[in-house]
Amino acid sequence: MATKILSVIIATYCVYGGIDIGPVVIKEDGQSMTRYAVGGSTNIKIQDQSMIILPHNSGCQIAKSAANSYAPDIFVDYKLRNKTFSFTADISTVGCSCNAALYLVTMPGYSSDNQPNPGKDGDYYCDANDVNGEWCWEMDIMEANKYSIQIIVMQMM
């Protein structure tokens, strides 16, 4: 999966139990930026510092700098209003009943007292489905397999 501008839950540099995978260069406002991510899979591959290859059942979040553990201040907060967001995804091997997803969330998750909350998994992940015990805004850019694709804006309840 190649990236040009990426501000989503997907990979750039992954740390899992302190194992570093590698940096990726993302174009932001016309500037090439080295970004990093934290994630839960050691099988993620970075190719040519511009392509992220995610195996089944994996994902990463974009971070400002390399990290050995999750913290609420590591995530990149992209401002996409009046910007172009582009990416290339090869979903030719994603079969039926599988979902290759590219989406935006407002990490870190916050608790009701307006403090960052690591949630059940300790990674500050949040989404519109309350995964990890924290709700936040989510916009699905792509949910797809080799047979279909859809885009959804989810509303928090």
Side-chain angles (χ1 to χ4, degrees), residues 6-141:
L6 193 65
S7 62
V8 297
I9 305 300
I10 230 161
T12 52
Y13 181 99
C14 292
V15 177
Y16 179 70
I19 300 170
D20 296 340
I21 305 299
V24 130
V25 176
I26 298 172
K27 197 161 274 218
E28 301 172 6
D29 295 321
Q31 302 293 316
S32 294
M33 303 291 293
T34 299
R35 293 298 185 192
Y36 305 87
V38 291
S41 175
T42 58
N43 296 325
I44 295 169
K45 305 283 188 255
I46 308 296
Q47 185 175 323
D48 301 326
Q49 289 194 340
S50 65
M51 185 181 297
I52 299 104
I53 302 167
L54 295 168
H56 184 268
N57 235 6
S58 64
C60 287
Q61 302 86 33
I62 295 176
K64 299 174 206 171
S65 59
N68 288 322
S69 63
Y70 285 102
D73 61 346
I74 65 172
F75 305 105
V76 176
D77 182 19
Y78 286 98
K79 307 295 184 200
L80 296 177
R81 185 177 187 165
N82 297 319
K83 306 274 175 133
T84 299
F85 178 89
S86 64
F87 66 97
T88 302
D90 178 358
I91 56 174
S92 64
T93 62
V94 181
C96 277
S97 301
C98 288
N99 178 21
L102 177 68
Y103 55 100
L104 310 170
V105 295
T106 53
M107 288 176 69
Y110 282 84
S111 61
S112 59
D113 64 358
N114 205 30
Q115 296 299 309
N117 185 351
K120 296 182 289 189
D121 296 330
D123 57 8
Y124 296 90
Y125 179 78
C126 61
D127 67 17
N129 293 308
D130 196 23
V131 173
N132 198 30
E134 284 302 321
W135 292 56
C136 68
W137 295 105
E138 174 181 343
M139 180 175 170
D140 293 349
I141 304 297

